[in-house]
Each structure stands twice: as C-alpha cells, then as structure tokens.
Amino acid sequence: DTYELCYHFEFHILLLQLALLTVSSFMHLYFLFKALIMIVTATIYIFYSHYFNFYYIISNRYDLTSNLLLIQTTFEIFFFILLLIGLDRRIEYMSRLDLLWTIKFQNEKHEVETVSTISRLLLENILPKHVAEIIIKENMSQGLYHESYDNVVVMFASIPNFKEFYVQSDANNDGLECLRLLNEIIAEFDKLLDKNKFSCVEKIKTIGNIYMAAAGLNPGAEHRMTRERYNQNIVALAEFAFAMIAVLEGINRDCFNDFKLRVGMCNGPLVAGIVGAKKPQYDIWGNTVNVASRMDSTGVDSCIHVPEETQKVLFENGYPCECRGPIYVKGKGNMTTYLVRPRGYMMPTSTSHVSSKFNASNK
C-alpha cells in the first residue's frame, strides 16, 4: 500500500506547492503570518513523509540515497516558500505604498479644496458673488469686466459728526479706539445684509465714515425685471437705510454717543465693473451715483434724502415724504428734493400740506 501511495510521489510535491500557493493568495493576511502557515504546512508534510518512510521506498525504487532525496525535497519546498514570501512581501509593500500615495493624494485634494473654498469666500467678501463667479470661471486678465444697468438704486450713508468724534490722543490710544468703534458700526451694518429681505442689496465699499450700497445689480436678469421689481429694489434699499439708522441709535445707547446717520438715495442707469489688475475693486459709475452722493452731502440727519423720481416710488409704497423745495446741488443746479421718513411717521400739519401739494402736482 505504501508503494502504491508513493508511485506518483512527484504529485505530492505539486499538491503541496498548490496548497502553499493557496495560502499565498490571501491578500489581506500579513506576509509573515502567511510565511508561518506555509512553514508549518511544509514541516508537517516532511515529518509525515518521513514517518511513513516515503523517501526510503522511493530511494530503493530509483537506487537513490534516502537522506539525499529528503534534503533535495526539503530544499525545493523551502525555496518555493521563500519565493512566495518574497512575492508576498513585494505585493504588500506595493499595496502599502499605493495606500500611502492614495492618502496623500486625498489629503492634498482636501487641502486644495479648502484653499479654493477660502479663496472663493475671500473673493466674495471683496466682490459681489456673481462677479466672483465670473472671475473664478473665466480668465479676466485679457478683458475689462463691466455691466450696464438701466435702473439701479444707489445709497450713500454717512456719519457726519464722526469727524468731530475722531481725535488722536493718548486717552484713546492715538485714535485706535475711535477706529474700533467705527469698525463696530460698519460691522453691524454689514450684518443687516445677511437678512433675506435685504438679499437684493449689495455693499459697494466704505470710504471713511461713508457707507455705499446699491440694489438691483443682477446681471443677465435685468431684461426680465418688471417695474414692480425695480420698485421693490428701491423699497428694500430704503428699508435697509432705516435699519441702519435704528442700528446706529442702538449703538449710541450702548456707547453713550450721539452719532447721526445721513442718507442719500437715487435710482437710474449706471455702469458697474472692476478696476485694477492687483487688488481689484468693484465699483459703479454714472450720473445716478453722483446724484446719490450729492443727496447725502446735502441731506438731513436720520432721514433719507431723495430726488423727485425716487420719491414717487417711495410715496406710492407708503413712505411719508417731505418736500424740501428747490435745493442747490453741486454740478446739477437747483433740484426739487424730498426727505423720506419711515412708515408710520406722523408728519407735522404744515409739512403734510406742502408734501400733499407737491404730490398732487407730481400726479
């Protein structure tokens, strides 16, 4: 029986090698653990063959020395095991290297996405969102970005008595405390822009103690805007101005100051665009901007100073308007202007009579 088992002894070696290959094919096992399994399997086979005298029977059949046959078989098996261990080690090394490269790539991709997000947010804080998207998606280095609008409402809001408040002295750290207070005021104004009802309002810039904003800067959608939508932009900017006045009054109560906000508004055509290759700045130009600035400089504290065209829209939407009569405006001559009050404001009788007279003439 033993002879019959050993008649095809070479198949035993091949089956053992097949078993070792099977163990080596488990890719998720640690290569040293697989090496241990293969060594234990080969050792069991050798002792099993030696126990049943396989090598003695075969050596007698082929006139060989049993010890020499055992050494040759053992060397062949363990050489095959070393070969598999080397291959497993290389495969595991390449898998680990691939994993490390994948993790590094993912980390770099995440860093790039983070930097891109931060850059986009910074750009959107400097420029309007639609302009930032155009700059990110398109190459603006070879052309000038500009947009023409038929009807945009512009607002200038200033704190005229802040210049008297600002003093450089040791008591206020060479004016640093004054600037800190101004920054707090501007920051509170900026927080108003996060409200949904002021989503159409776009901050343009601040010049010292002057806050400049506009409503209706929506490129590509202007041709779809109706007259009611234009009027809504004017009303939204007027509400934004009154909200700024209320915020400033709250700061006055907290800081025991007496700052006043003077607001000028005007609506009409203008051009918007970006100027500058380095530190680009978004700005608006046109007669509408100049008139709005003049409305601010000739205005009254805690009121919105507007020309006649803007007054018509606000009056139709329930805002009390007080006619100031002809006012000299630099560069424009005499203009009939109005002071707009918040809704619900009770105007004096004499003023209401004058306002009604001018409103009737407008109609």
Side-chain angles (χ1 to χ4, degrees):
D1 295 336
T2 304
Y3 178 78
E4 291 297 329
L5 290 172
C6 299
Y7 185 75
H8 296 290
F9 180 73
E10 64 276 9
F11 291 146
H12 293 213
I13 304 298
L14 294 176
L15 289 174
L16 177 62
Q17 292 176 345
L18 183 61
L20 297 176
L21 282 173
T22 303
V23 174
S24 177
S25 64
F26 289 97
M27 305 300 297
H28 294 287
L29 292 178
Y30 187 44
F31 82 101
L32 290 179
F33 182 67
K34 291 192 288 185
L36 178 62
I37 295 175
M38 289 187 288
I39 292 173
V40 171
T41 303
T43 303
I44 292 174
Y45 171 77
I46 293 172
F47 279 103
Y48 179 81
S49 301
H50 181 71
Y51 179 79
F52 286 99
N53 296 321
F54 287 164
Y55 295 105
Y56 178 77
I57 296 171
I58 295 173
S59 62
N60 289 336
R61 180 185 177 191
Y62 292 103
D63 296 329
L64 298 172
T65 304
S66 60
N67 293 333
L68 179 61
L69 183 60
L70 177 62
I71 293 173
Q72 290 178 348
T73 304
T74 303
F75 178 79
E76 178 183 353
I77 292 173
F78 279 95
F79 178 78
F80 188 71
I81 290 175
L82 290 175
L83 179 63
L84 292 179
I85 291 174
L87 291 175
D88 289 339
R89 179 70 184 95
R90 178 170 178 79
I91 292 173
E92 184 172 324
Y93 172 78
M94 296 302 296
S95 299
R96 289 176 179 271
L97 188 62
D98 182 66
L99 178 62
L100 292 175
W101 278 108
T102 302
I103 294 174
K104 183 179 179 181
F105 173 75
Q106 291 177 350
N107 291 336
E108 291 180 351
K109 182 180 178 181
H110 179 70
E111 291 177 0
V112 170
E113 291 176 351
T114 303
V115 172
S116 177
T117 302
I118 293 174
S119 300
R120 187 178 68 254
L121 292 176
L122 289 175
L123 196 60
E124 290 178 358
N125 280 333
I126 299 173
L127 304 173
K129 186 176 181 180
H130 66 275
V131 179
E133 291 177 355
I134 293 175
I135 292 179
I136 293 173
K137 294 180 180 179
E138 301 179 7
N139 183 15
M140 301 300 299
S141 61
Q142 298 180 356
L144 174 67
Y145 170 78
H146 68 280
E147 289 282 349
S148 298
Y149 297 91
D150 294 332
N151 196 341
V152 174
V153 55
V154 182
M155 179 201 74
F156 281 82
S158 62
I159 307 174
N161 56 343
F162 183 82
K163 294 180 180 179
E164 302 172 0
F165 171 78
Y166 181 80
V167 177
Q168 289 184 339
S169 63
D170 296 335
N172 59 12
N173 198 9
D174 291 335
L176 181 61
E177 297 301 325
C178 299
L179 294 179
R180 183 177 286 111
L181 180 58
L182 179 62
N183 178 69
E184 180 182 349
I185 294 172
I186 298 300
E188 291 298 323
F189 290 165
D190 292 341
K191 289 180 182 179
L192 296 174
L193 296 173
D194 296 332
K195 296 183 178 181
N196 291 331
K197 63 179 180 179
F198 300 139
S199 59
C200 63
V201 179
E202 189 72 49
K203 176 185 176 181
I204 304 301
K205 59 184 176 181
T206 56
I207 309 171
N209 61 335
I210 300 175
Y211 194 97
M212 181 180 178
L217 297 172
N218 191 12
E222 191 179 15
H223 63 281
R224 300 191 300 268
M225 294 177 65
T226 60
R227 184 175 182 275
E228 289 74 15
R229 181 57 182 169
Y230 285 125
N231 295 345
Q232 289 177 7
N233 291 334
I234 298 175
V235 171
L237 193 57
E239 285 294 322
F240 180 72
F242 287 125
M244 293 172 65
I245 294 173
V247 166
L248 188 60
E249 290 176 352
I251 295 176
N252 287 334
R253 288 191 297 267
D254 295 337
C255 300
F256 304 102
N257 289 310
D258 190 27
F259 293 129
K260 300 295 183 180
L261 193 67
R262 190 178 60 195
V263 183
M265 283 176 51
C266 182
N267 68 294
L270 55 79
V271 176
I274 299 176
V275 291
K278 293 184 178 180
K279 296 182 180 180
Q281 183 177 4
Y282 181 81
D283 208 344
I284 52 179
W285 301 270
N287 182 63
T288 303
V289 180
N290 297 333
V291 174
S293 177
R294 297 291 182 258
M295 291 296 103
D296 170 39
S297 60
T298 59
V300 178
D301 294 343
S302 302
C303 294
I304 302 177
H305 193 204
V306 297
E308 187 173 0
E309 183 179 357
T310 308
Q311 177 267 341
K312 291 179 181 178
V313 177
L314 293 175
F315 182 77
E316 290 174 359
N317 285 272
Y319 289 91
C321 299
E322 175 187 349
C323 180
R324 298 186 68 189
I327 300 295
Y328 176 77
V329 177
K330 183 179 178 180
K332 301 297 177 182
N334 291 329
M335 293 181 62
T336 301
T337 61
Y338 296 81
L339 295 178
V340 181
R341 310 286 184 175
R343 289 169 176 168
Y345 176 81
M346 299 301 296
M347 298 180 64
T349 306
S350 59
T351 305
S352 301
H353 176 72
V354 175
S355 179
S356 301
K357 176 182 176 182
F358 274 89
N359 290 327
S361 63
N362 290 337
K363 292 179 181 180

